[in-house]
Amino acid sequence: MRTPPSSPWIIRLSVSVYRTLIRGLGPTSYFRPYGDLTIQLFRECCQDAYRQRGIPGVLGLWLPSLRDAVIQMVREVLCVR
């Protein structure tokens, strides 16, 4: 599911960068079952944050979202081995 072109530019850009990072840095064993859901959740959080606080709200999601994604990917790698 892609972010609609009618979405604010900050949401489109954020989701695109997040998708690239998750696909590029995460193990396939994480992305295959969880990637689309993770991206969908990030998109929805961006939309909520934008409605509440605008661009600063979306930017405020980046650090906690990336931290959570990295933690989940590390857990996936450690559990697979």
Side-chain angles (χ1 to χ4, degrees), residues 10-32:
I10 189 69
I11 294 175
R12 292 191 317 270
L13 176 63
S14 293
V15 171
S16 178
V17 169
Y18 189 79
R19 179 185 297 112
T20 300
L21 288 172
I22 296 296
R23 280 189 178 155
L25 299 177
T28 305
S29 62
Y30 173 83
F31 190 79
R32 203 173 286 136

Side-chain angles (χ1 to χ4, degrees), residues 3 8 13 15-16 20-22 24 27 31 34 46-47 49 53 61 66 68-69 76-78:
T3 304
L13 176 63
V15 171
S16 178
T20 300
L21 288 172
I22 296 296
F31 190 79
Y34 306 115
C46 284
Q47 292 166 339
R53 296 189 51 228
L61 288 175
L66 285 176
D68 291 347
E76 182 68 22
V77 168
L78 293 176

Side-chain angles (χ1 to χ4, degrees), residues 2-75:
R2 294 279 181 197
T3 304
S6 60
S7 293
W9 69 269
I10 189 69
I11 294 175
R12 292 191 317 270
L13 176 63
S14 293
V15 171
S16 178
V17 169
Y18 189 79
R19 179 185 297 112
T20 300
L21 288 172
I22 296 296
R23 280 189 178 155
L25 299 177
T28 305
S29 62
Y30 173 83
F31 190 79
R32 203 173 286 136
Y34 306 115
D36 289 340
L37 293 173
T38 302
I39 294 166
Q40 179 182 349
L41 177 61
F42 181 72
R43 179 186 302 112
E44 290 171 5
C45 289
C46 284
Q47 292 166 339
D48 289 344
Y50 187 82
R51 278 192 292 273
Q52 293 174 8
R53 296 189 51 228
I55 292 172
V58 175
L59 295 176
L61 288 175
W62 270 99
L63 187 58
S65 296
L66 285 176
R67 181 195 66 223
D68 291 347
V70 168
I71 289 169
Q72 291 302 327
M73 284 185 260
V74 168
R75 284 182 182 157

